[in-house]
Amino acid sequence: MNTPIRRIALSTGGGDAPGLNAVIRAATLAAVNRGWEVVGIRDGFNGLLLPEQYPQGGLVRLGRDDVRGIVHTGGTILGTMNRGNPIAFPVEHPDGTVTTVDRTAELVSMFKSHGIDALITAGGDGSLTIGYRLHQAGLRVIGVPKTIDNDLVRTEASFGFDTAVAFATECIDRLFSTATSHGRVFVVEVMGRYAGWIALHAGMATGAHAILIPEIPYALQNVAETIRQREERGAKFSIVVVAEGAAPVGGTVTTLPAEAGHAERLGGVGEKVARELHELTGKETRTVVLGHLLRGGSPTSLDRLLGLRFGAAAVRALDAGYEGKMVSLSHAAITLVPLAEVSSRQRVVPLDCDTMLTARDMQISFGD
Ligand code: F6P
């Protein structure tokens, strides 16, 4: 039987994503309103693992005042980190070599010594794997799915994705003016390491003529053929959206120079595709790389809501005694329903839906 929760920690790990601050706000308010204390860990888990780097303290106490006015902001007020994985923590030796050590057990005992009863960790696959290991090592953990790439399993969306797609859509829309005026081919490179969700959604939303994604190895002769056919029909321009993780048939992903302690850095496929399409079609071709612009800015209302709902749901899950789980969005696909069941009826807000529960957790007044 678990001891009652008095103090929880929040951490944000991996690449930042718009909506993280909404998670922090809702989780903090939902916890504080239950009489729990909340602390945020700075920079992933580094606030605990590298205390010498935080003279002001690697843990920051979070109360109502600390999470006011942050829902519309991008990034994370706690800071984040995609190095310093406690499962394989880098240790630099005097001779310059770097080895790794598993600090999971040590981290769990640090949580205990700080009186932290449970952890809510928002992150992508890396951070959720760390969360799972901490849970296996004896910590109560609830994960919150975060990534603009939208490539996490067992949830239909992670926050940050909608904001990234909205911004990519705006950028690609703008490129149509120059593309049509000059009769050019534009290749737009977007993030998407293993999955092409951003490229697919932004490409479809804007009416792009080719979309290259990691899931489908591409042959540029086919894209060139599409461009040629458009030309024959009088459309002198084409828009190609390519995910950073897309690769040619039989080829590999395009990478940037390696950085110590960092996952392989992708980038450059847009330029490569543009060059080869120019050679194949003879058309004037330009590249735009959206890269980290897709991770920035104010979250869309959808991502704010998703972050708030995930944050509050994580607290409710802990309160209900769950651990070793990830909060997840699950909604229906498009189906067919009888018109007879639709006519003359309204769908009102169900008072027990999780958006309402989130609002109640945040003590928003409905005047009742
Ligand atoms: O958030 C995931 C991601 O956007 C990937 O698509 C991309 O490869 C990576 O982040 C880039 O991360 P970094 O900020 O370390 O360059």
Side-chain angles (χ1 to χ4, degrees):
M1 183 66 189
N2 273 330
T3 51
I5 291 178
R6 286 179 308 269
R7 192 171 213 230
I8 64 165
L10 307 182
S11 88
T12 55
D16 65 330
L20 274 170
N21 287 332
V23 175
I24 295 169
R25 175 170 163 82
T28 300
L29 294 182
V32 165
N33 291 333
R34 283 169 167 78
W36 302 353
E37 271 181 28
V38 183
V39 291
I41 307 171
R42 292 208 184 277
D43 303 335
F45 294 106
N46 279 4
L48 282 173
L49 291 170
L50 297 172
E52 67 284 1
Q53 288 190 6
Y54 300 87
Q56 322 274 297
L59 293 180
V60 48
R61 183 76 187 268
L62 294 175
R64 266 177 230 290
D65 295 349
D66 307 296
V67 296
R68 183 171 297 132
I70 62 170
V71 169
H72 66 288
T73 60
T76 157
I77 60 165
L78 296 177
T80 187
M81 186 48 71
N82 42 16
R83 293 173 222 220
N85 174 354
I87 304 171
F89 199 79
V91 184
E92 207 174 323
H93 300 282
D95 65 357
T97 57
V98 178
T99 54
T100 60
V101 55
D102 185 350
R103 296 186 66 185
T104 318
E106 186 190 346
L107 190 54
V108 170
S109 64
M110 284 173 175
F111 278 104
K112 304 229 155 111
S113 65
H114 282 92
I116 297 167
D117 304 305
L119 167 73
I120 294 175
T121 182
D125 52 350
S127 305
L128 294 170
T129 302
I130 296 166
Y132 180 47
R133 284 290 292 274
L134 292 172
H135 163 65
Q136 288 178 311
L139 189 67
R140 275 183 265 183
V141 179
I142 296 289
V144 175
K146 170 245 54 164
T147 161
I148 68 160
D149 289 1
N150 210 29
D151 59 356
L152 289 167
V153 296
R154 296 302 307 272
T155 184
E156 285 174 21
S158 49
F159 57 86
F161 173 63
D162 186 62
T163 308
V165 171
F167 183 70
T169 299
E170 186 188 334
C171 294
I172 300 167
D173 280 348
R174 283 170 182 253
L175 290 173
F176 269 79
S177 332
T178 308
T180 49
S181 305
H182 287 254
R184 281 180 181 162
V185 173
F186 267 95
V187 178
V188 186
E189 179 181 315
V190 297
M191 280 191 171
R193 175 172 283 269
Y194 306 112
W197 294 109
I198 297 176
L200 180 66
H201 283 223
M204 290 187 66
T206 51
H209 308 102
I211 302 172
L212 308 180
I213 59 176
E215 293 84 344
I216 306 178
Y218 62 79
L220 286 185
Q221 300 87 318
N222 298 332
V223 180
E225 186 51 31
T226 299
I227 294 170
R228 264 195 296 270
Q229 285 172 7
R230 283 178 47 72
E231 193 98 5
E232 271 167 31
R233 294 195 301 269
K236 304 276 178 224
F237 72 100
S238 289
I239 303 279
V240 179
V241 182
V242 54
E244 62 181 352
V249 177
T252 54
V253 290
T254 315
T255 56
L256 296 168
E259 242 179 49
H262 218 285
E264 183 179 51
R265 293 174 65 222
L266 301 184
V269 68
E271 194 52 50
K272 186 172 131 135
V273 165
R275 206 175 38 245
E276 292 174 23
L277 283 179
H278 170 69
E279 280 160 18
L280 288 165
T281 64
K283 287 199 64 69
E284 207 173 32
T285 306
R286 296 284 187 272
T287 315
V288 173
V289 180
L290 295 180
H292 289 83
L293 290 170
L294 297 170
R295 291 227 304 249
S298 180
T300 59
S301 53
L302 197 145
D303 279 339
R304 295 179 199 191
L305 248 298
L306 195 53
L308 292 171
R309 289 165 69 195
F310 278 159
V315 169
R316 286 199 301 277
L318 285 174
D319 203 9
Y322 291 104
E323 56 183 281
K325 306 274 186 205
M326 179 184 83
V327 293
S328 149
L329 182 76
S330 163
H331 52 222
I334 292 174
T335 60
L336 286 176
V337 297
L339 274 174
E341 289 176 18
V342 176
S343 71
S344 305
R345 288 184 200 173
Q346 286 78 37
R347 191 174 77 94
V348 298
V349 177
L351 297 185
D352 59 351
C353 72
D354 79 83
T355 303
M356 282 301 293
L357 297 181
T358 302
R360 297 290 188 192
D361 277 332
M362 296 173 71
Q363 292 192 339
I364 292 170
S365 170
F366 288 93
D368 54 358

